[in-house]
Amino acid sequence: MKYVQRIKYIFEGLCMIGASALMLYSPDDGYILVAAILSVSLFIRGVSQLIYYFSMARHMVGGKMILYRAVLFLDLGILIMSTIDIPRLYIIMYLLVAHAFAGAIDVLRAFEARKLGATWKNTLTFGIANILLATLPLVGGIFFDSARIIVYLYSAGLIYSGIVRIVSAFRRTSILFVA
């Protein structure tokens, strides 16, 4: 990893931690911030995937998958922005499913890396943490309609992702780069 990428990872990690601290400071109003961050980030990712598809990926093997992913991200971003005014249960369910799915994928990737003899412990830890973040509101099901649980869940995920990003910036890469 080059120095510019390391600085970018550190900056992104600090921004994630700062945004989660802002949401934790005002958890009642943080619901709107959570929904806005989710929708805008999904929309921007969808647009960037579309730009990548039309500029390069349509000529690649598997380029249609990038197009499908771009349309899915765009649709999810628009859906979340339009569900801000309706019950908060939808955003909670989205966060739970997203964390559970990401955790399951990370756990499966860790098991595959273990079979191949690669490093797998960090991926497994990240996957288990995401699954725990998804099951946290299920354990406290009586708080399921509260906006605070959304903010706390999303903030915990952001803090953990920010810390992992900062730690990965300081980790040495095992690949030799030739300039």
Side-chain angles (χ1 to χ4, degrees):
M1 186 181 305
K2 294 185 179 185
Y3 290 113
V4 175
Q5 288 175 329
R6 290 181 195 272
I7 291 171
K8 179 183 167 193
Y9 272 30
I10 292 170
F11 180 72
E12 287 175 356
L14 290 175
C15 285
M16 286 179 179
I17 292 172
S20 65
L22 180 67
M23 284 188 286
L24 287 174
Y25 178 70
S26 129
D28 292 328
D29 297 330
Y31 169 74
I32 303 297
L33 187 62
V34 168
I37 288 173
L38 278 175
S39 62
V40 168
S41 64
L42 286 171
F43 187 78
I44 288 173
R45 187 163 180 191
V47 169
S48 68
Q49 291 280 320
L50 272 177
I51 291 170
Y52 177 65
Y53 172 76
F54 285 118
S55 65
M56 187 183 306
R58 65 181 169 178
H59 304 294
M60 295 172 27
V61 174
K64 284 187 181 179
M65 185 60 72
I66 293 172
L67 176 65
Y68 298 149
R69 195 178 312 145
V71 171
L72 179 72
F73 285 140
L74 278 172
D75 288 344
L76 283 175
I78 293 169
L79 175 74
I80 290 174
M81 184 55 80
S82 65
T83 60
I84 289 177
D85 295 336
I86 62 176
R88 296 177 171 127
L89 180 65
Y90 296 116
I91 299 293
I92 292 174
M93 295 307 285
Y94 174 77
L95 286 173
L96 293 178
V97 169
H99 279 293
F101 185 72
I105 294 295
D106 284 342
V107 167
L108 292 174
R109 282 180 49 215
F111 287 148
E112 183 180 356
R114 183 177 176 205
K115 287 180 186 176
L116 297 174
T119 58
W120 56 275
K121 293 178 183 176
N122 290 335
T123 307
L124 182 67
T125 305
F126 193 64
I128 290 172
N130 268 334
I131 291 173
L132 287 176
L133 281 173
T135 58
L136 179 72
L138 295 178
V139 173
I142 53 175
F143 304 113
F144 213 58
D145 196 30
S146 173
R148 288 178 180 255
I149 195 74
I150 301 170
V151 175
Y152 293 150
L153 176 68
Y154 194 68
S155 295
L158 268 181
I159 289 171
Y160 186 73
S161 296
I163 290 172
V164 166
R165 215 171 254 280
I166 290 171
V167 168
S168 68
F170 289 111
R171 187 175 299 137
R172 290 184 179 258
T173 56
S174 59
I175 299 172
L176 179 64
F177 292 104
V178 178

